[in-house]
């Protein structure tokens, strides 16, 4: 026997989510150049801010969540506004870490204490050995394991 009630409930949820997705996408269309293909980028990214002197402050690196990525930029979600232009983004994959100097395009409040940070990549950056050591010590202050709820 087919449970039409259950199927109707799923379809209602799909309609609500589709409507929300369409609303969100349409509200974010910007007349500026946004033609680059974007992909979801849900991963932990390290931000190395600039100090007041303009140097990168590895001692104060912090993790954020990636939102999306394209060849022309990436966006992040964090629980505080990000300042200190330029900044360095640290990415890690199978080949090891890479670091990209980025300028901040925008830092938009999403509400409830969250911010979306849009970044424009400028150039690849190489950290010196002492900076990598400092960064590794900073990374050790955070737990890489997911928290079980």
């Amino acid at each position: 026997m087919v449970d039409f009630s259950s199927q109707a409930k799923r379809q209602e949820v799909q309609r609500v989510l589709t409507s929300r997705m369409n609303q969100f996408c349409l509200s974010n269309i910007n007349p500026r150049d946004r033609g680059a293909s974007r992909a979801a980028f849900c991963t932990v990214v390290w931000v190395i801010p600039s100090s007041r002197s303009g140097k990168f402050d590895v001692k104060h690196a912090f993790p954020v969540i990636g939102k999306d990525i394209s060849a022309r930029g990436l966006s992040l979600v964090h629980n505080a506004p990000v300042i200190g232009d330029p900044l360095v983004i640290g990415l890690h994959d199978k080949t090891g870490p890479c670091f990209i100097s980025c300028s901040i395009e925008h830092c938009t409040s999403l509400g409830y204490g969250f911010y979306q940070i849009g970044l424009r990549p400028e150039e690849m950056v190489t950290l010196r050995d002492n900076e990598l050591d400092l960064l590794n010590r900073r990374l050790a202050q955070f737990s890489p394991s997911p928290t079980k709820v």
Side-chain angles (χ1 to χ4, degrees):
M1 180 177 196
V2 178
D3 184 0
F4 290 109
S5 172
S6 178
Q7 183 177 357
K9 289 178 184 178
R10 280 194 298 274
Q11 287 175 342
E12 179 182 15
V13 169
Q14 289 173 347
R15 277 194 301 274
V16 168
L17 292 177
T18 300
S19 172
R20 179 71 178 175
M21 187 177 75
N22 288 340
Q23 177 186 8
F24 180 76
C25 290
L26 288 174
S27 69
N28 285 310
I29 292 176
N30 192 328
R32 292 187 304 175
D33 183 18
R34 300 270 301 170
S37 297
R38 293 181 171 271
F41 187 62
C42 187
T43 188
V44 176
V45 175
W46 286 88
V47 173
I48 302 171
S50 293
S51 66
R52 290 185 180 164
S53 65
K55 294 183 180 181
F56 297 119
D57 190 1
V58 178
K59 288 186 218 175
H60 291 99
F62 56 91
V64 299
I65 299 298
K67 181 179 178 282
D68 61 30
I69 190 167
S70 78
R72 294 187 183 176
L74 62 152
S75 67
L76 312 171
V77 175
H78 190 48
N79 63 354
V82 174
I83 55 175
D85 200 29
L87 49 84
V88 170
I89 298 300
L91 306 172
H92 192 79
D93 62 16
K94 297 172 192 162
T95 62
C98 72
F99 302 96
I100 305 168
S101 175
C102 298
S103 57
I104 299 173
E105 284 285 319
H106 67 88
C107 184
T108 306
S109 174
L110 299 173
Y112 298 98
F114 292 98
Y115 294 83
Q116 178 176 337
I117 301 99
L119 301 175
R120 182 179 57 237
E122 301 293 340
E123 64 181 329
M124 298 302 295
V125 175
T126 302
L127 297 184
R128 296 185 304 263
D129 288 340
N130 64 328
E131 292 172 319
L132 285 172
D133 289 341
L134 282 172
L135 181 60
N136 285 327
R137 278 184 262 170
R138 178 66 175 160
L139 297 178
Q141 295 175 359
F142 296 88
S143 173
S145 302
T147 304
K148 294 185 180 184
V149 184

